[in-house]
Amino acid sequence: MGSVNGAGSASELSASDIQGVIDRILAKDSAVEAKTVETKPLTRTGVNNGRAQALSDNTEHSVHDGEQQDLEERRALRRVAGLSTELEDVTEVEYRQLRLERVVLAGLWSEGTAEDAENSLKELAALAETAGSEVLDGIIQRRLKPDPGTFLGSGKAQELKDIVTATGADTVIVDSELAPSQRRGLEDIVKVKVIDRTALILDIFAQHAKSREGKAQVELAQLEYLLPRLRGWGESMSRQAGGQVGSASAGMGSRGPGETKIELDRRKIRTRMAKLRREIAGMKPARETKRANRQRNAVPSVAIAGYTNAGKSSLLNRLTDAGVLVENALFATLDPTIRKAQTEDGIGYTLADTVGFVRSLPTQLVEAFRSTLEEVADADLILHVVDASHPDPEGQIAAVRTVLAEVDARKVPEIIVLNKADAADPFVLERLRQRESRYVVVSARTGEGIPELLQAISEGIPRPGVELELLVPYERGEIVSRLHQQDAEILSTDHVETGTRLHVKVREGLAAELEPFVTHG
């Protein structure tokens, strides 16, 4: 039988050729174990055995989470497992694969323990899954500092290429921020797309941003990241020739407009960035006006901050029935949500859910979201939510405090909220108790510890400090009604012949308004 498109029939293939084709088709189910001391593959329990360890298996929602309509919208488009375009018949002419992103992870162990390095790569696996990728394998190289040309070093980069080929991956994700030259050097070796941790986080933010301000902030961060990484040097570039160039004398008439295409692209990006900064600045007054109203009315504010996927939105829902989206994914919610709440003795305050933090949070995002993070810096109290069931809760606490310091929020009083107590190791909880002076152990899912947390909030927010004795005539009932709202702490009430006698604590602004009703005897 004649060949078709240059490929022969099965009878013309040698045994080794047939075996090679079979190995290529089955490669996606295999994993290469690196056998050198320096390159350390992750165990399957960390990356490849179902969900990444950084994502817990608990996806239950409580009645406090509401209908979760946003979650249904996000899950409206999902990949269907088991569908494949792989050809099973080795006699077929072409062997094609149509893949969605299947990734291999790579990291360096330059400081800390091996467990710290593995936890970092497991978190990268969780980020990749959140972005919609399938994680196939991961490697860690023991190295004091990254190679300036290929990050991993040329030898280990070649081993990474072998792993990519064997697993059928189409993307490599590096657990660090790569210099443009490092990314190009690594791509030239592994022959697939290479992205770094920063690009991955920006991609997740781009997927999850919903508000107009959130989308503008993410786009600004992406453009800031992209600007120094533009590539291109070919026929599409319009470069100046200048003079008599070469033997072809391509001088006059061959000069370009004076700007290369990459320079034009950079100018367009800078123009777009300037426009986005103006838009974000234009949105700032509305938020500042709302914040000024709360400050003028002396409403205490409590900010919920913490590592991504620590349970901040679940906690807000438990405390206020806010119905904020809750998903077992990193950076599930980006847009801040503010809700009213009230202590048992009637003191009102606001609860603000903020964007989650992560190790090595890209500086572009910190700058772009600075206006949002101001909610934390201007708060009267920070609830620092920690996932107590995570393998490295101390590392999460340190990462969050680093970002809080960047936005000038370290001076704000802080309560450590050890969340997910129902799934945490008791020894880990005790270890964290010993480290932190001000903490509450809770479970947003079961409700454990919520009363203690509410009491801690009540004690932590600014209380009315001006003590007054009032006699309010009965015809001024609106004054009494206002005092029963969220402005004052009523210590005692007595109804006498001339009106209502009250012993109250109020804030300074209200004390001036109540001066006509103050009794001095």
Side-chain angles (χ1 to χ4, degrees), residues 24 64 68 184 189 200 202 209 227 268 318 381 409 424 432 443 453 468 484 503:
R24 195 186 319 153
H64 300 276
Q68 291 292 304
R184 287 195 297 269
I189 294 175
L200 179 61
L202 289 171
L227 188 59
K268 289 177 182 176
R318 172 66 70 167
L381 179 67
L432 293 169
S443 170
L453 177 59
L468 298 174
H484 277 88
H503 182 197

Side-chain angles (χ1 to χ4, degrees), residues 65 71 117 128 155 160 169 179 190 213 220 231 250 276 285 296 364 374 425 428 480 488 493 515:
D65 293 326
L71 183 60
L160 178 61
V190 299
E213 183 174 13
L220 177 61
R231 296 181 66 180
L276 287 169
R296 183 169 58 253
Q364 297 95 338
E374 285 173 359
D425 186 333
V428 174
V480 178
T493 304
E515 184 62 32

Side-chain angles (χ1 to χ4, degrees), residues 425-465:
D425 186 333
F427 293 102
V428 174
L429 287 173
E430 184 58 34
R431 188 177 75 215
L432 293 169
R433 287 191 185 101
Q434 296 296 327
R435 286 175 53 94
E436 302 296 335
S437 59
R438 196 177 184 188
Y439 65 86
V440 181
V441 180
V442 306
S443 170
R445 186 175 68 89
T446 66
E448 173 189 349
I450 295 298
E452 290 82 358
L453 177 59
L454 290 171
Q455 181 61 32
I457 295 173
S458 179
E459 295 171 357
I461 61 176
R463 312 284 297 191

Side-chain angles (χ1 to χ4, degrees), residues 20 40 56 118 149-150 160 167 173 211 216 228 249 270 319 332 370 380 397 424 429 442 451 467 475 483 512:
K40 181 178 181 182
S56 62
E118 288 199 5
T150 55
L160 178 61
T167 56
I173 304 178
S211 70
S249 300
R270 291 192 186 99
L319 294 175
R370 183 171 292 275
D380 296 300
I397 293 174
L429 287 173
V442 306
E467 192 168 345
E475 62 269 19
L483 290 172

Side-chain angles (χ1 to χ4, degrees), residues 179-285:
S181 59
Q182 287 175 321
R183 183 169 65 90
R184 287 195 297 269
L186 196 55
E187 278 184 347
D188 290 341
I189 294 175
V190 299
K191 304 301 182 185
V192 296
K193 180 173 66 175
V194 175
I195 65 172
D196 58 17
R197 180 187 180 92
T198 300
L200 179 61
I201 294 174
L202 289 171
D203 183 76
I204 296 171
F205 270 58
Q207 289 183 43
H208 291 180
K210 293 188 67 177
S211 70
R212 178 167 166 259
E213 183 174 13
K215 290 178 179 178
Q217 288 168 327
V218 172
E219 185 181 353
L220 177 61
Q222 286 180 311
L223 292 175
E224 286 178 343
Y225 173 80
L226 175 63
L227 188 59
R229 291 170 172 81
L230 285 179
R231 296 181 66 180
W233 194 263
E235 294 179 358
S236 64
M237 316 307 286
S238 179
R239 304 184 64 211
Q240 283 185 314
Q244 298 294 318
V245 181
S247 59
S249 300
M252 289 181 291
S254 66
R255 286 186 258 274
E259 224 174 359
T260 65
K261 184 177 182 300
I262 197 168
E263 289 170 343
L264 289 169
D265 290 342
R266 284 176 179 153
R267 186 151 52 83
K268 289 177 182 176
I269 288 176
R270 291 192 186 99
T271 302
R272 178 62 179 163
M273 287 169 61
K275 182 180 179 182
L276 287 169
R277 288 194 179 100
R278 289 195 298 271
E279 288 180 1
I280 293 172
M283 302 172 198
K284 189 176 181 180

Side-chain angles (χ1 to χ4, degrees), residues 40 42 47 105-125 138-143 175 197 359 392:
K40 181 178 181 182
L42 280 184
V47 173
L105 313 179
L108 286 186
W109 169 20
S110 55
E111 59 184 16
T113 64
E115 185 180 5
D116 292 337
E118 288 199 5
N119 283 336
S120 181
L121 209 62
K122 288 168 184 174
E123 180 177 272
L124 187 68
I139 63 168
I140 299 173
Q141 182 188 1
R142 178 64 161 146
R143 188 182 175 95
D175 191 20
R197 180 187 180 92
R359 282 186 190 87
D392 183 22

Side-chain angles (χ1 to χ4, degrees), residues 59-129:
T59 56
E60 233 178 279
H61 290 96
S62 69
V63 294
H64 300 276
D65 293 326
E67 297 181 359
Q68 291 292 304
Q69 294 178 348
D70 289 341
L71 183 60
E72 292 301 319
E73 177 184 339
R74 182 170 294 177
R75 291 179 175 174
L77 184 61
R78 275 291 183 266
R79 293 182 176 135
V80 180
L83 298 182
S84 174
T85 57
E86 307 276 354
L87 300 178
E88 298 179 359
D89 187 351
V90 297
T91 63
E92 291 282 353
V93 176
E94 295 178 336
Y95 306 97
R96 295 182 180 175
Q97 292 178 323
L98 177 62
R99 294 194 181 99
L100 298 167
E101 285 188 297
R102 308 172 76 224
V103 303
V104 171
L105 313 179
L108 286 186
W109 169 20
S110 55
E111 59 184 16
T113 64
E115 185 180 5
D116 292 337
E118 288 199 5
N119 283 336
S120 181
L121 209 62
K122 288 168 184 174
E123 180 177 272
L124 187 68
L127 288 167
E129 288 183 1

